[in-house]
Amino acid sequence: MTTQLDLDRLKKAAALEAVEFVRDGMIVGLGTGSTAKHMIVALGEKVRAGMRLRGVPTSHETAALAKEAGIALIDADSRWELDVAIDGADQVDPGFNLIKGGGGALLKEKIVAASAKQFIVLVDYTKQVPMLGGSFPLPIEIIPFGWGSTAREIESLTKSRVVLREKNGAPFRTEAGNLIVDVHIARIHHPKDLEIALNQIPGVVETGLFIGRTSILIVGSPHGVDIHHAPEQ
């Protein structure tokens, strides 16, 4: 039986492989979450060894970790172009499509992924699924105004249960001040079509579906670390 400690070790192994793709002088998108934390620590070690790099964080939590690791950060208002972005995922299917947003940073994560020449995704093997959905709900960031109506539209489209995310008994707020609803979809057969349809609903800011964005998938498993390159889109 794989324990949480074992999974954390696999995440760290994947992160150590990922930072080998970072070269001196690069601008790096820094993901959010437990796997990304290992990546930030590893990059900090490279900085202390003399590597020059700058980072764009995807959350306040990541920014704090990066500063602690000694990674110089670019102002969020700058017009940056990233050499590489490195982040984790909550689910990944055989087509390299992802569900992200378990930590609530999906909007910034998608902006950063879209701005990068290369998007590297780190997961432990338990995040690999034959089809997105099922065991992990799809997060969708929505604006607070009329959120109930937006949720109803999402429910009507997906034919699935939509739950407002809460934290400490109050609605969870993203760093942009928005809300998140988690959509419990049994199976997402056509993730690209679903992403397009959801983004047509007024009030939806962004979805946790990351379709066709992954350049490299790095998987930590009990048998070692596997590196998969996405086929040409």
Side-chain angles (χ1 to χ4, degrees), residues 92 96 121 123 128 214-219 226-229:
V92 55
F96 288 37
V121 176
V123 294
Q128 292 181 290
T214 306
S215 308
I216 298 173
L217 175 67
I218 301 180
V219 183
D226 298 317
I227 300 175
H228 307 278
H229 292 263

Side-chain angles (χ1 to χ4, degrees), residues 7-24:
L7 291 178
D8 194 61
R9 197 157 40 236
L10 300 181
K11 292 174 182 179
K12 182 177 181 179
L16 292 177
E17 287 289 343
V19 298
E20 293 305 310
F21 288 89
V22 178
R23 300 286 177 261
D24 188 59

Side-chain angles (χ1 to χ4, degrees), residues 30-33 36 40 56-66 73 103-106 108-109 112 175:
L30 306 172
T32 294
I40 293 166
V56 175
T58 53
S59 66
H60 293 312
E61 176 191 7
T62 292
L65 287 169
L73 298 180
L106 63 95
K108 285 186 176 180
E109 289 172 340
V112 164
E175 292 183 17

Side-chain angles (χ1 to χ4, degrees), residues 24-212:
D24 188 59
M26 280 187 167
I27 301 176
V28 184
L30 306 172
T32 294
S34 57
T35 309
K37 182 177 180 180
H38 289 299
M39 173 268 297
I40 293 166
V41 171
L43 283 179
E45 291 176 0
K46 286 184 173 289
V47 168
R48 286 190 291 275
M51 178 178 279
R52 295 166 302 133
L53 60 86
R54 292 177 293 163
V56 175
T58 53
S59 66
H60 293 312
E61 176 191 7
T62 292
L65 287 169
K67 288 177 182 176
E68 187 178 327
I71 300 171
L73 298 180
I74 295 177
D75 187 82
D77 295 328
S78 299
R79 200 169 181 175
W80 24 261
E81 183 178 347
L82 309 181
D83 295 292
V84 62
I86 307 175
D87 207 347
D90 299 301
Q91 281 189 338
V92 55
D93 72 10
F96 288 37
N97 299 310
L98 316 173
I99 284 181
K100 290 176 53 56
L106 63 95
L107 177 58
K108 285 186 176 180
E109 289 172 340
K110 190 170 283 190
I111 291 171
V112 164
S115 302
K117 297 173 185 175
Q118 191 175 52
F119 182 40
I120 300 176
V121 176
L122 319 173
V123 294
D124 66 75
Y125 73 104
T126 66
K127 303 298 176 62
Q128 292 181 290
V129 294
M131 183 178 291
L132 299 179
S135 62
F136 198 91
L138 171 63
I140 301 177
E141 185 162 340
I142 63 175
I143 68 168
F145 176 79
W147 76 265
S149 295
T150 304
R152 187 175 63 246
E153 290 294 320
I154 294 170
E155 195 169 63
S156 177
L157 173 69
T158 62
K159 305 294 189 291
S160 302
R161 185 166 60 97
V162 177
V163 180
L164 180 67
R165 186 180 298 185
E166 295 187 348
K167 183 177 182 180
N168 300 324
F172 176 89
R173 292 280 180 163
T174 69
E175 292 183 17
N178 295 316
L179 305 175
I180 286 184
V181 292
D182 292 306
V183 187
H184 294 260
I185 306 177
R187 296 168 73 81
I188 301 176
H189 293 277
H190 304 289
K192 183 176 182 179
D193 293 341
L194 179 61
E195 180 185 34
I196 292 170
L198 286 167
N199 279 323
Q200 296 301 310
I201 297 175
V204 169
V205 178
E206 193 50 83
T207 82
L209 288 167
F210 282 56
I211 310 303

